[in-house]
Amino acid sequence: QVRLKESGGGSVQAGGSLTLSCAASLGTISTYCIGWFRQVPGKGREGVATIRNDARTKYADSMSGRFTISQDTAKNTVYLQMNSLKPEDTGMYYCVFRVPAWWASCSLNAVDYNSWGQGTQVTVSS
């Protein structure tokens, strides 16, 4: 089972930036989707961004342009750079993992992911 460990959350003022990290224990796994979801109080889990082992990325429309997902394959770590943060970005951010079919892209649907980290809290104040 892949273990995921998030870090980098915290409190920031609106307009600020944060970088989240997700360290994944991939072992010999070479084909993967790793991504970020978030959950705000009273709402379901929302896909933020995903990245495939071949560096293909996918973003939720509302985050595109402000958030950037990247990876360091040598460290098995995925990053989420978040800029121009807004109070509505406040929530618990989770790292997720799955092994996709060779032809599949990495979706932003929570039901497609069977491994979740414990989450890291992001709080943006106005």
Side-chain angles (χ1 to χ4, degrees), residues 63-96:
M63 276 67 113
S64 182
R66 296 192 299 125
F67 292 5
T68 302
I69 191 169
S70 62
Q71 62 184 343
D72 184 333
T73 55
K75 296 181 179 180
N76 287 342
T77 299
V78 169
Y79 305 96
L80 184 68
Q81 173 70 42
M82 304 185 293
N83 298 325
S84 302
L85 283 163
K86 306 174 182 180
E88 52 264 43
D89 292 318
T90 293
M92 186 68 78
Y93 283 69
Y94 296 93
C95 181
V96 299

Side-chain angles (χ1 to χ4, degrees), residues 11 81 106 109 113 116:
S11 297
Q81 173 70 42
C106 297
N109 297 319
Y113 292 88
W116 291 69

Side-chain angles (χ1 to χ4, degrees), residues 19-101:
T19 300
L20 307 183
S21 299
C22 173
S25 60
L26 295 178
T28 59
I29 297 172
S30 59
T31 301
Y32 57 80
C33 291
I34 296 178
W36 292 94
F37 282 69
R38 70 184 184 188
Q39 185 160 23
V40 300
K43 294 186 178 181
R45 292 183 175 181
E46 175 187 25
V48 175
T50 60
I51 190 165
R52 208 177 190 278
N53 53 285
D54 59 7
R56 279 183 280 169
T57 58
K58 184 173 290 187
Y59 293 90
D61 290 342
S62 60
M63 276 67 113
S64 182
R66 296 192 299 125
F67 292 5
T68 302
I69 191 169
S70 62
Q71 62 184 343
D72 184 333
T73 55
K75 296 181 179 180
N76 287 342
T77 299
V78 169
Y79 305 96
L80 184 68
Q81 173 70 42
M82 304 185 293
N83 298 325
S84 302
L85 283 163
K86 306 174 182 180
E88 52 264 43
D89 292 318
T90 293
M92 186 68 78
Y93 283 69
Y94 296 93
C95 181
V96 299
F97 164 90
R98 74 180 182 109
V99 176

